[in-house]
């Protein structure tokens, strides 16, 4: 009989162990239920041969902590005069605790074993929530490109976030419990697996073949988890065993089986994200076994090679080709070594790498953008981890982890033609563009050490530990590249033939140029950041039916000024009947999130010592004398510097005082703080029948101190009540006259900025609201206009009801049904783009509305069935309601250029934030497979076919929110936007063949 102590889509929980180990505890009694002291309990790993032994205490209790979760275990209990008790095929899950009740009977009778917490039962541990998926289950699911992050979407509480940025990472991002897309915490083999620079996804991705277990926690209650207000994805990699095992897989996604994305054709595509063909292939392999004569050293290795070709139509008549094919190449590799040094000590070493390149990231080329502006994206990461588990006593275990992570680079954008840029509008249609100097090269190094002590004594399970991550990152520029240091020529509209307009003779004639732009300044930066934590937790089994959970965590991120980040956790688990059939649990905790290190890219480029771009027209100072004179060696002497928009770091008034007085600004923050969430849960879990379990969970989140960009030198409030494009009338002190117009010019806005008011008073001058700023004819102007910084004034409320029903595998059938009703309201969305308010003076209740990821309903069905003739069928079905979108004017009504997202006036008032709502989303993804035994079943050949979005439903997540400034919406308002950043994939199929032995 197989006892799986925690598997197959069950409610997850942690006890006194680290995320990649498990604990077995229990009692030994005789037939009269009297405790037996000195009983010998032995547990043996059938895969690795590792053996652990413990004797029961005078109270008949025992505990074995720090058990590796890979492989099945055999458990035996012996004592003189009693019959031996045995249990086989016991499987643990990472971070779980199992309970064995052993009843030893006198010799000649049969001793019995009772297990609590099996997969078909209700969990009785901690109040945290989530699911666990084994590597075998994940391999049987239809996952696009077999990327492991898609597993998280089986839980309906996790929502995909492709409309929120970072699509070029080629990994799915998701939001959980109102947290941002970069708030998921990845843990691999008990160590951190996120990159502190950007947190886009897992630092070094792991091949699917190398995954032993994945636990996806939508509420990570344990005090061991931190630096995240979202979900926790706990990954345990495979270990090798005594016997040799291997796999070889070939997967392909042919173009012939694909449907086209909706909304565009090859003749009207507007960007490179409007992909017309996506061909993918993967070769994967793994090998594991034992080394040496005794096979005491076990190894596991896995690798993947991915290749993808995405075709983006080019619609410009100037292009010599109709389609540009971007090539993605990715390599994943992992090696793991395990060795049991003694009965009380075992170690492991894991090394893995993740490297990929993309010749058309985020659709840079396509639509009207020619191949001449192509840039290549590179990312290469490497991780090495050393783990040690030492048994210090019967229930006392120490787990130490040492890790080094290198991203070289974490982000690199290289122009194919690295040169001065030439832009020629052509009257016959299209724009010819050649060359660019917008590049980026960013690196990241991370060092981590963590140590955790777990102890079980009496009614207590205690875990305490500490961790520190030191990151050193930075480089040049930012994602996609920013400054144009080699300059950019924009030409007058060319009315001749396209061949003439693109010719060297035309391009080299300076008389054809309309203006010249060049960036100046310093785009290099370095960041040193440390994230360290202390934590402790006690699970107190105060009564046989009642467990109280209490813990506390302290975090410190040196990048911020926050020094009081204490995160308490309290909860309970009540087994109402004492037999595990009905359990009520609840909890409360505080969770802090990390400020990503790449925030410094904005500060480095945006502060006064950063970068600015100067534009000169013919005859102006700074206009090159010839094409060959570009780029200019330095900022031209005598040129009038443009009024700059700044992005400055909070909490440094003394440093900024050399350029301006921060005290005159509107709420310039004195500190940078970590956002945090107050999260509370209540859950009822009920056994419906054998192998059927239902859970009903409530999750509430109140997030405070969300970081947002804000103009702290904002103009005076502009309360708009009328439509149209009329320019507002100002009072003598530059305040808008109510109802006099719907537009304010940039200079009108500038004159009411607090820094401008202070600057003009200091220089005894008067601001001219009608002058053309930046010209020799204008009144003298201050050097800066917009002064943005990051402020912690965001807040969020999330409420959700989750319903999960699971049937564990029996009679060839398993199913997991997950439904979530959720509602998220906030005044700024965490970790998303376009976060400027309608008016920087009103960021509270005025901006409070649905979050961009406020998906009210989401249902995910997954499962598998073993049909006759050994045919296995299964799949995933997702049904969800539409997502919100923001309604905007499409213009800068406020005059606060670059600092506002202006919304239209409807019925005499500015419409609320994220007032639009998209269409429902659904996708059916079936799969079918058949295994064939070869060479007397020693080798297995599996043939598999998978279909995604088989009904080819157009699933849009992006919509045109441009309403305009009229009394009614403009053309195209509310219609879907197209391309891979705005819609989920159309129908496609994957086929694979796998050989295993």
């Amino acid at each position: 009989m197989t006892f799986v102590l925690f598997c197959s889509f069950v409610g997850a929980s942690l006890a006194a162990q680290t995320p990649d180990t498990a604990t077995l505890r229990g009692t030994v009694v005789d037939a009269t239920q009297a405790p037996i002291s000195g009983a010998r309990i032995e547990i043996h790993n059938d895969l690795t041969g590792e053996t652990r032994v413990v004797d029961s205490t005078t109270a008949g209790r025992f505990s074995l902590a720090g058990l590796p979760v890979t492989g099945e275990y055999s458990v035996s209990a012996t004592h003189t005069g009693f019959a031996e008790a045995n249990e086989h095929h016991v499987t643990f899950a990472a971070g779980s605790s199992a309970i064995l009740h052993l009843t030893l009977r006198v010799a000649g009778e049969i001793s019995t074993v009772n297990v609590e917490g099996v997969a078909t039962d209700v969990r009785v541990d901690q109040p945290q929530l989530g699911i666990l998926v084994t590597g075998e289950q994940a391999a049987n699911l239809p996952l696009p490109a077999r990327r492991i992050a898609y597993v998280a979407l089986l839980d309906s509480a996790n929502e995909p976030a492709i409309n929120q940025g970072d699509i070029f990472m080629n990994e799915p991002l998701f939001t959980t419990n109102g947290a941002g897309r970069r708030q998921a915490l990845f843990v691999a083999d008990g160590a951190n697996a996120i990159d502190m620079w950007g947190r886009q996804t897992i630092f070094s991705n792991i091949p699917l073949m190398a995954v032993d277990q994945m636990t996806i926690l939508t509420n990570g209650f344990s005090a061991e988890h931190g630096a995240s207000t979202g979900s926790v994805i706990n990954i345990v990699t495979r270990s090798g065993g005594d016997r040799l095992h291997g796999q070889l897989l070939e997967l392909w996604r042919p173009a012939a089986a694909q449907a086209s994305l909706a909304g565009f054709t090859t003749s009207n595509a507007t960007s490179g994200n409007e992909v017309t063909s996506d061909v993918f292939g993967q070769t994967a392999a793994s090998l594991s076994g034992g080394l040496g004569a005794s096979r005491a050293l076990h190894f596991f290795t896995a690798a993947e090679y991915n290749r993808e070709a995405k075709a983006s139509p080019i619609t410009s008549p100037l292009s010599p080709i109709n389609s540009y094919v971007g090539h993605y190449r990715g390599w994943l590799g992992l090696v793991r070594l395990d060795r049991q040094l003694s009965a009380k000590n075992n170690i492991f070493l894991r090394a893995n790498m993740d490297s990929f390149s993309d010749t058309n990231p985020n659709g840079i080329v396509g639509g009207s953008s020619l191949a001449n502006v192509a840039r290549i994206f590179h990312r290469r990461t490497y991780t090495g981890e050393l783990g040690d588990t030492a048994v210090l006593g019967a229930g006392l275990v120490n787990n130490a982890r040492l890790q080094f992570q290198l991203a070289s680079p974490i982000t690199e954008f290289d122009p194919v033609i690295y040169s001065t840029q030439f832009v020629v509008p052509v009257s016959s249609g299209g724009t010819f563009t050649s060359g660019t100097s917008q590049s980026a090269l960013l690196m990241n190094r991370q060092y981590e050490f963590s140590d955790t002590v777990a102890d079980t004594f009496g009614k207590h399970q205690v875990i305490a530990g500490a961790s520190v991550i030191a990151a050193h990152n930075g480089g040049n520029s930012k994602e996609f590249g920013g400054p144009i240091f080699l300059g950019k020529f924009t030409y007058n509209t060319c009315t001749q033939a396209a061949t003439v307009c693109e010719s060297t003779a035309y391009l080299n004639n300076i008389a054809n140029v309309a203006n010249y732009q060049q960036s100046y300044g310093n785009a290099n930066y370095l960041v040193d950041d440390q994230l360290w934590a202390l934590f402790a937790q006690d699970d107190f089994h105060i009564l046989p039916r009642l467990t109280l959970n209490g813990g506390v965590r302290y975090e410190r991120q040196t990048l911020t000024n926050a020094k009081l980040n204490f995160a308490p956790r309290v909860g309970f688990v009540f087994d109402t009947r004492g037999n595990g059939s009905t359990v009520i649990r609840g909890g409360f905790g505080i969770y802090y999130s990390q400020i990503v290190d790449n925030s410094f890219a904005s500060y480095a480029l945006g502060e006064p010592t950063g970068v600015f771009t100067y534009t000169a027209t013919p005859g102006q100072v700074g206009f090159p004398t010839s094409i060959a004179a570009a780029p200019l060696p330095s900022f031209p002497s005598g040129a009038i510097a443009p009024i700059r928009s700044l992005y400055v770091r909070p909490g440094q008034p003394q440093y900024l005082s050399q350029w301006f007085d921060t005290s005159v600004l509107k709420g310039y923050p004195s500190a940078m703080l970590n956002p945090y969430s107050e999260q509370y849960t209540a859950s009822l879990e009920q056994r419906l029948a054998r192998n059927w379990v239902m859970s009903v969970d409530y999750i509430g989140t109140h997030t405070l101190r969300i970081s947002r960009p804000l103009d702290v030198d904002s103009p005076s409030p502009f309360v708009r009540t009328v439509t149209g494009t009329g320019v507002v009338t100002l009072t003598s002190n530059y305040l808008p006259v109510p109802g006099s117009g719907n537009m304010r010019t940039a200079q009108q806005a500038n004159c009411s900025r607090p820094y401008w008011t202070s600057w003009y008073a200091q220089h005894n001058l008067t601001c001219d609201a009608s002058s053309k700023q930046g010209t020799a004819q204008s009144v003298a102007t201050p050097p800066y206009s917009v002064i943005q910084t990051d402020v912690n004034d965001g807040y969020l409320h999330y409420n959700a009801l989750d319903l999960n029903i699971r049937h564990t595998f029996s009679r060839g059938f398993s199913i997991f049904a997950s439904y979530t009703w959720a509602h998220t309201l906030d005044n700024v969305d965490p970790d998303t783009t376009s976060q400027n308010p309608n008016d920087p003076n009103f960021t509270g209740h005025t901006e409070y509305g649905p979050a961009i990821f406020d998906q009210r309903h989401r249902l995910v069905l997954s499962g598998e069935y073993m049909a006759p003739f050994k045919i296995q069928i299964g799949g995933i079905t997702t049904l969800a309601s539409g997502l919100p979108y923001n309604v905007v004017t499409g213009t800068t009504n406020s005059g606060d250029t670059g600092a506002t997202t202006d919304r239209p006036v409807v019925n005499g008032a500015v419409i609320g934030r994220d007032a639009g709502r998209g269409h429902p989303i659904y996708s059916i993804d079936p799969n079918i497979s058949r295994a064939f035994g070869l060479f007397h079943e020693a080798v297995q050949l599996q043939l598999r076919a998978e279909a995604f979005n088989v009904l080819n439903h157009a699933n849009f997540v992006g919509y045109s929110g441009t309403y305009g400034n009229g009394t009614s919406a403009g053309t195209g308002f509310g219609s879907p936007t197209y391309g891979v950043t705005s819609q989920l994939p159309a129908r496609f199929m994957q086929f694979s063949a796998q050989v295993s032995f």
Side-chain angles (χ1 to χ4, degrees):
M1 183 177 182
T2 299
F3 280 97
V4 183
L5 298 183
F6 192 76
C7 78
S8 184
F9 311 125
V10 300
S13 60
L14 291 182
Q17 62 282 312
T18 55
D20 61 332
T21 63
T23 293
L24 176 66
R25 63 185 181 88
T27 58
V28 185
V29 298
D30 61 18
T32 67
Q33 299 302 301
I36 297 178
S37 174
R40 174 62 55 93
I41 295 91
E42 180 176 302
I43 183 167
H44 177 81
N45 189 302
D46 301 329
L47 175 68
T48 66
E50 178 181 342
T51 300
R52 294 272 300 276
V53 177
V54 67
D55 294 335
S56 60
T57 66
T58 55
R61 297 191 179 97
F62 68 91
S63 178
L64 289 160
L67 297 172
V69 299
T70 298
E72 295 182 341
Y73 284 85
S74 297
V75 183
S76 65
T78 58
H79 193 282
T80 304
F82 291 89
E84 182 175 341
N86 293 284
E87 194 57 63
H88 302 284
H89 307 296
V90 177
T91 304
F92 295 101
S96 71
S97 179
I99 304 173
L100 255 62
H101 296 293
L102 303 166
T103 302
L104 300 187
R105 301 183 184 276
V106 296
E109 298 185 14
I110 299 176
S111 297
T112 59
V113 180
N114 293 315
V115 186
E116 290 185 8
V118 296
T120 54
D121 257 338
V122 176
R123 298 304 300 166
V124 292
D125 303 80
Q126 289 190 10
Q128 63 190 21
L129 310 171
I131 64 173
L132 182 141
V133 182
T134 66
E136 289 80 7
Q137 290 169 331
N140 287 328
L141 291 169
L143 303 177
R146 290 165 48 88
R147 292 190 172 102
I148 63 174
Y150 281 105
V151 174
L153 300 179
L154 295 176
D155 192 322
S156 59
N158 297 319
E159 304 172 10
I162 71 165
N163 61 328
Q164 298 170 43
D166 296 343
I167 189 69
F168 63 93
M169 291 302 301
N170 288 288
E171 287 285 347
L173 302 173
F174 47 88
T175 63
T176 310
N177 300 340
R181 75 189 192 281
R182 298 192 292 185
Q183 284 303 312
L185 173 65
F186 287 90
V187 178
D189 296 326
N192 161 70
I194 58 136
D195 75 281
M196 293 178 63
W197 177 80
R199 288 189 69 121
Q200 291 116 319
T201 183
I202 186 171
F203 191 101
S204 296
N205 204 3
I206 295 172
L208 179 58
M209 284 184 177
V211 174
D212 186 78
Q213 298 178 1
M214 287 182 66
T215 307
I216 297 95
L217 299 175
T218 53
N219 166 248
F221 174 84
S222 173
E224 191 169 7
H225 298 313
S228 172
T229 59
S231 58
V232 178
I233 297 89
N234 181 29
I235 304 167
V236 179
T237 59
R238 292 184 184 274
S239 300
D242 292 335
R243 301 181 60 185
L244 191 66
H245 292 277
Q247 293 177 302
L248 177 63
L249 175 138
E250 185 67 29
L251 178 145
W252 61 98
R253 181 197 302 165
Q258 295 179 11
S260 299
L261 289 171
F264 63 93
T265 65
T266 56
S267 61
N268 64 7
T270 59
S271 80
N273 283 321
E274 296 175 4
V275 175
T276 55
S277 175
D278 188 351
V279 179
F280 178 85
Q282 181 182 103
T283 302
S286 70
L287 186 67
S288 63
L291 298 175
S294 63
R295 300 186 183 275
L297 178 63
H298 300 106
F299 76 92
F300 181 92
T301 180
E304 279 183 12
Y305 172 57
N306 300 288
R307 59 266 180 201
E308 187 174 13
K310 296 176 290 185
S312 299
I314 299 179
T315 56
S316 170
L318 305 176
S319 176
I321 57 175
N322 296 324
S323 181
Y324 183 82
V325 179
H327 293 281
Y328 169 89
R329 297 290 184 267
W331 299 263
L332 298 178
L334 180 142
V335 176
R336 174 168 173 152
L337 300 174
D338 289 82
R339 175 67 186 266
Q340 184 177 12
L341 301 178
S342 68
K344 295 186 177 182
N345 191 212
N346 61 284
I347 62 172
F348 74 86
L349 173 67
R350 172 176 57 88
N352 61 297
M353 60 84 68
D354 177 0
S355 175
F356 71 86
S357 64
D358 191 341
T359 62
N360 195 23
N362 218 46
I364 292 174
V365 177
S368 60
S369 297
L370 306 183
N372 308 64
V373 297
R375 279 174 283 177
I376 301 175
F377 176 68
H378 298 277
R379 175 183 163 103
R380 292 180 294 272
T381 62
Y382 311 88
T383 297
E385 180 191 4
L386 178 65
D388 177 83
T389 299
V391 179
L392 307 179
L396 182 62
V397 174
N398 185 81
N399 283 280
R401 301 288 184 265
L402 181 65
Q403 181 172 257
F404 172 67
Q405 295 170 300
L406 171 66
S408 179
I410 191 73
T411 285
E412 180 179 0
F413 285 92
D414 297 318
V416 173
I417 303 177
Y418 185 69
S419 68
T420 299
Q421 190 171 61
F422 304 91
V423 180
V424 184
V426 181
S427 60
S428 59
T431 299
F432 171 75
T433 304
S434 177
T436 181
S437 59
Q438 291 182 287
S439 62
L441 177 59
L442 299 160
M443 317 288 277
N444 185 19
R445 294 197 302 269
Q446 295 182 184
Y447 310 84
E448 177 184 5
F449 176 74
S450 63
D451 191 79
T452 303
V453 177
D455 194 12
T456 301
F457 55 91
K459 297 182 179 181
H460 297 270
Q461 290 180 274
V462 177
I463 185 171
S467 65
V468 59
I469 305 172
H472 178 74
N473 53 52
N476 177 271
S477 195
K478 58 182 180 179
E479 290 174 355
F480 296 102
I484 46 175
F485 287 126
L486 298 186
K488 173 184 175 181
F489 287 102
T490 300
Y491 290 73
N492 297 305
T493 300
C494 180
T495 59
Q496 303 180 60
T499 54
V500 175
C501 299
E502 300 174 24
S503 67
T504 302
Y506 186 88
L507 295 178
N508 284 338
N509 188 348
I510 192 69
N512 295 326
V513 176
N515 65 69
Y516 174 75
Q517 292 178 297
Q518 185 173 329
S519 298
Y520 301 90
N522 179 24
N524 296 310
Y525 67 97
L526 291 175
V527 180
D528 286 300
D529 190 16
Q530 291 83 45
L531 182 64
W532 58 272
L534 304 170
F535 63 90
Q537 183 162 315
D538 181 16
D539 298 333
F540 179 27
H541 307 284
I542 187 171
L543 297 172
R545 298 185 183 184
L546 179 63
T547 299
L548 301 181
N549 315 98
V552 65
R553 180 182 180 88
Y554 175 77
E555 295 179 8
R556 173 77 172 99
Q557 184 184 3
T558 58
L559 189 68
T560 73
N561 305 107
K563 298 181 179 180
L564 297 175
N565 289 353
F566 289 94
R569 317 280 167 88
V570 293
F572 72 94
V573 179
F574 180 46
D575 183 357
T576 60
R577 299 181 180 179
N579 60 3
S581 63
T582 305
V583 168
I584 299 172
R585 57 172 65 93
F588 171 82
I590 290 179
Y591 306 83
Y592 289 89
S593 62
Q594 177 203 343
I595 297 293
V596 292
D597 291 354
N598 70 358
S599 299
F600 270 73
S602 298
Y603 308 146
L605 273 66
E607 289 188 341
T609 57
V611 175
F612 68 93
T613 299
Y614 176 73
T615 302
T617 57
Q620 280 189 311
V621 177
F623 189 81
T625 56
S626 67
I627 300 297
L632 302 181
S634 60
F635 185 72
S637 175
I640 300 175
I643 298 176
R644 293 174 57 186
S645 294
L646 300 181
Y647 202 129
V648 300
R649 180 181 177 177
Q652 51 177 10
Q654 185 174 356
Y655 169 73
L656 294 174
S657 65
Q658 57 188 305
W659 295 285
F660 52 84
D661 183 5
T662 59
S663 66
V664 304
L665 302 179
K666 299 179 180 179
Y668 172 75
S670 59
M672 176 188 292
L673 304 175
N674 296 95
Y676 71 93
S677 293
E678 302 166 342
Q679 197 166 107
Y680 26 92
T681 63
S683 174
L684 170 66
E685 197 167 11
Q686 173 72 50
R687 182 194 305 132
L688 302 176
R690 180 177 175 81
N691 298 327
W692 286 91
V693 173
M694 178 187 72
S695 63
V696 181
D697 311 318
Y698 166 76
I699 301 178
T701 300
H702 180 206
T703 303
L704 300 166
R705 301 198 322 211
I706 298 174
S707 180
R708 70 179 304 157
L710 190 68
D711 183 5
V712 290
D713 187 34
S714 62
S716 61
F718 182 22
V719 180
R720 294 180 289 116
T721 59
V722 297
T723 58
T725 57
V727 176
V728 72
T729 302
L730 300 183
T731 66
S732 59
N733 54 351
Y734 309 109
L735 299 179
V737 175
S740 62
N742 191 35
M743 305 286 291
R744 179 169 59 177
T745 68
Q747 185 65 4
Q748 285 179 323
N750 287 340
C751 286
S752 65
R753 295 183 185 275
Y755 167 60
W756 281 50
T757 301
S758 172
W759 188 91
Y760 278 110
Q762 181 181 356
H763 291 81
N764 197 28
L765 295 172
T766 301
C767 183
D768 179 6
S770 63
S771 69
K772 185 178 181 182
Q773 58 185 5
T775 66
Q777 295 75 29
S778 70
V779 176
T781 56
Y784 315 115
S785 55
V786 176
I787 302 178
Q788 280 189 309
T789 188
D790 292 320
V791 301
N792 294 106
D793 74 347
Y795 57 90
L796 174 148
H797 291 92
Y798 171 87
N799 290 281
L801 187 67
D802 300 332
L803 173 64
N804 295 320
I805 299 176
R806 63 183 183 269
H807 173 62
T808 53
F809 199 86
S810 64
R811 298 185 179 181
F813 169 67
S814 68
I815 190 171
F816 177 58
S818 180
Y819 167 76
T820 296
W821 173 90
H823 190 24
T824 310
L825 295 168
D826 59 22
N827 69 332
V828 63
D829 296 326
D831 287 329
T832 58
T833 56
S834 303
Q835 288 301 286
N836 290 328
N838 176 74
D839 188 328
N841 297 283
F842 308 107
T843 60
H845 182 73
T846 303
E847 292 294 304
Y848 189 66
I852 199 69
F853 45 77
D854 178 41
Q855 193 169 59
R856 301 293 175 86
H857 304 277
R858 182 172 174 82
L859 171 67
V860 181
L861 301 173
S862 57
E864 57 182 315
Y865 173 66
M866 184 61 72
F869 308 107
K870 298 182 181 180
I871 296 175
Q872 183 172 322
I873 59 176
I876 303 172
T877 296
T878 303
L879 309 172
S881 54
L883 292 164
Y885 60 90
N886 206 16
V887 179
V888 299
T889 63
T891 58
T892 305
N893 300 69
S894 67
D896 196 3
T897 305
T900 60
T901 303
D902 301 75
R903 301 192 295 269
V905 172
V906 177
N907 296 326
V910 172
I911 195 171
R913 182 173 142 270
D914 292 341
R917 180 70 64 166
H919 304 309
I921 297 169
Y922 63 83
S923 180
I924 300 176
D925 310 333
N927 65 273
I928 183 170
S929 63
R930 172 68 157 85
F932 302 89
L934 305 175
F935 305 105
H936 305 288
E937 303 294 328
V939 177
Q940 292 288 315
L941 169 65
Q942 185 188 65
L943 301 179
R944 182 180 179 87
E946 301 168 325
F948 297 84
N949 192 10
V950 68
L951 300 182
N952 198 34
H953 181 246
N955 291 312
F956 294 102
V957 295
Y959 293 83
S960 173
T962 303
Y963 187 94
N965 285 297
T967 56
S968 59
T971 303
F973 170 72
S975 61
T977 54
Y978 309 119
V980 294
T981 57
S982 299
Q983 58 190 124
L984 299 175
R987 182 181 61 245
F988 67 93
M989 299 188 70
Q990 288 182 171
F991 303 93
S992 64
Q994 177 174 307
V995 176
S996 58
F997 62 89

